[in-house]
């Protein structure tokens, strides 16, 4: 992995993880789904405008269009929508920890759907991740966490898993910024339909709300998503997903610094175990992919007339 890809991955992880804290600030003073719908509308229009300025086309490949629609619905409308609603009643650090299990869920989905085998290190990582999440949830449940909010985050991370699998088809054919802008507009359209059905519009203007809204629109919303798509194209989905192991650490750290959310010893132990689990799963998948590529190369037929060494 080159230094540029490393810098992109670290920047993405920090931006992505900070979104939970900014979302927590937003929902304190505004209705969650309406806030998210306006955020996606603004981010999407900016993304499309930048894409057109860069000369990118509206015309996407069939794979890109399908992935853009699925990503816009599953990540933007479902995953982020459910998380925004959940953070009216649960802490940002807990939402970040639940969301960080996505790489492990992707590994399970690839095994169940595509038959991708996972080495022993990956299996150990999955087991560690389950133990870490169970440890964290056990302490939170005993402390009286809102289980409905936790359930919403759980459904959201399943939707994010599907979105991540779908995005594999959007990393070829160029037009990366156009893909980012359009999937945000799709999410905005869905949320503008759903919001009036499930919530009452609420807005209590404040400086924290304004700053958090601008930040989450431009940084985690637009910049981080663009960096993620570029990173997928640069180093592939398996290697790029390794950076998700930083999300529980960064997410908890940002929430602690900006929101003053306190963590107990068992919470910290659980975060460490989840972090190890995610890293182990991704390293195992990288090794499995490299081994598969090596095997395929060795079994290629010889060119006609070429003598054996």
């Amino acid at each position: 992995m080159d230094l540029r890809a490393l810098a992109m991955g670290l920047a993405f992880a920090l931006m992505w993880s900070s979104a939970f804290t900014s979302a927590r600030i937003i929902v304190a003073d505004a209705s969650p789904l309406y806030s998210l719908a306006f955020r996606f509308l603004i981010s999407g229009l900016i993304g499309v405008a930048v894409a057109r300025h860069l000369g990118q086309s509206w015309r996407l490949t069939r794979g890109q269009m399908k992935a853009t629609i699925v990503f816009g619905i599953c990540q933007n409308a479902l995953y982020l929508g459910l998380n925004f609603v959940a953070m009216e009643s649960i802490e940002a650090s807990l939402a970040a920890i639940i969301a960080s299990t996505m790489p492990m869920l992707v590994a399970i989905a690839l095994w169940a759907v595509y038959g991708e085998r996972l080495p022993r290190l990956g299996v150990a990582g999955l087991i560690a991740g389950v133990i870490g999440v169970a440890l964290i949830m056990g302490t939170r449940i005993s402390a009286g966490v809102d289980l409905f909010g936790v359930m919403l985050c759980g459904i959201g991370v399943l939707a994010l898993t599907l979105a991540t699998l779908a995005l594999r088809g959007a990393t070829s054919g160029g037009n990366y910024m156009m893909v980012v802008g359009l999937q945000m507009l799709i999410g905005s359209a869905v949320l503008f339909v759903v919001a009036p059905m499930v919530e009452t519009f609420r807005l209590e203007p404040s400086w924290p709300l304004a700053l958090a809204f601008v930040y989450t629109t431009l940084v985690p919303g637009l910049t981080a998503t663009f960096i993620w798509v570029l990173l997928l194209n640069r180093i592939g989905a398996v290697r790029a997903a390794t950076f998700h192991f930083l999300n529980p650490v960064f997410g908890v750290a940002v929430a602690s610094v900006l929101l003053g959310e306190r963590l107990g010893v068992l919470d910290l132990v659980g975060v460490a175990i989840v972090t190890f689990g995610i890293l182990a799963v991704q390293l195992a998948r990288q090794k499995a992919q490299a081994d598969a590529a090596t095997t395929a190369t060795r079994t290629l037929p010889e060119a006609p007339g070429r003598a054996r060494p």
Side-chain angles (χ1 to χ4, degrees):
M1 185 182 300
D2 58 274
L3 289 178
R4 184 174 181 182
L6 178 62
M8 291 169 63
L10 291 174
F12 162 77
L14 181 57
M15 293 177 187
W16 186 262
S17 302
S18 68
F20 297 96
T21 295
S22 59
R24 178 76 167 161
I25 296 172
I26 289 171
V27 299
D29 292 328
S31 47
L33 296 185
Y34 277 108
S35 300
L36 199 56
F38 279 111
R39 166 195 152 179
F40 286 140
L41 177 61
I42 296 171
S43 295
L45 291 175
I46 293 174
V48 169
V50 171
R52 294 299 296 163
H53 178 73
L54 295 174
Q56 295 183 12
S57 173
W58 294 93
R59 302 182 67 178
L60 305 180
T61 66
R62 180 175 295 182
Q64 283 182 320
M65 182 57 69
K66 179 181 177 181
T68 299
I69 294 172
V70 173
F71 198 73
I73 294 174
C74 290
Q75 174 177 291
N76 296 339
L78 289 175
Y79 164 66
L80 288 174
L82 291 171
N83 270 268
F84 262 57
V85 174
M87 275 186 284
E88 289 186 300
S89 59
I90 69 171
E91 294 183 332
S93 56
L94 179 56
I97 292 168
I98 296 173
S100 70
T101 62
M102 182 272 291
M104 293 184 283
L105 295 176
V106 168
I108 294 173
L110 289 174
W111 166 75
V113 178
Y114 298 102
E116 182 179 295
R117 299 184 63 182
L118 199 62
R120 292 181 180 178
L121 177 62
V123 175
L126 289 176
I127 295 173
V130 172
I131 293 174
V133 172
L135 186 62
I136 295 168
M137 293 309 302
T139 60
R140 296 303 178 96
I141 290 174
S142 63
V145 70
D146 178 45
L147 294 180
F148 180 70
V150 171
M151 182 189 70
L152 292 180
C153 287
I155 298 173
V157 77
L158 291 176
L160 179 60
T161 300
L162 179 59
T164 301
L165 293 172
L167 193 61
R168 299 165 80 194
T171 57
S172 60
N175 291 328
Y176 302 125
M177 181 56 82
M178 184 64 72
V179 169
V180 170
L182 291 178
Q183 54 94 0
M184 288 184 176
L185 292 178
I186 290 171
S188 176
V190 173
L191 289 172
F192 270 124
V193 171
V194 174
M197 302 178 184
V198 299
E199 70 180 19
T200 302
F201 182 79
R202 173 176 60 89
L203 177 63
E204 299 173 13
S206 67
W207 280 113
L209 171 61
L211 293 174
F213 184 84
V214 171
Y215 174 82
T216 197
T217 299
L218 299 179
V219 181
L222 190 60
T223 308
T225 304
F226 182 54
I227 290 175
W228 177 242
V229 175
L230 290 179
L231 190 63
L232 286 174
N233 183 63
R234 189 178 186 87
I235 63 177
V238 174
R239 297 178 70 189
T242 305
F243 289 100
H244 277 284
F245 90 94
L246 293 170
N247 286 342
V249 177
F250 284 167
V252 166
V254 173
S256 177
V257 171
L258 296 183
L259 300 178
E261 295 184 3
R262 296 184 178 182
L263 297 173
V265 174
L266 291 180
D267 286 321
L268 295 175
V269 172
V271 168
I273 295 174
V274 170
T275 300
F276 163 77
I278 296 170
L279 182 59
V281 167
Q282 294 308 317
L283 292 177
R285 290 183 64 205
Q286 286 186 30
K287 185 178 184 302
Q289 189 181 63
D291 291 344
T294 301
T295 301
T297 301
R298 289 176 179 174
T299 56
L300 286 175
E302 287 190 40
R306 182 174 179 178
R308 291 182 180 272

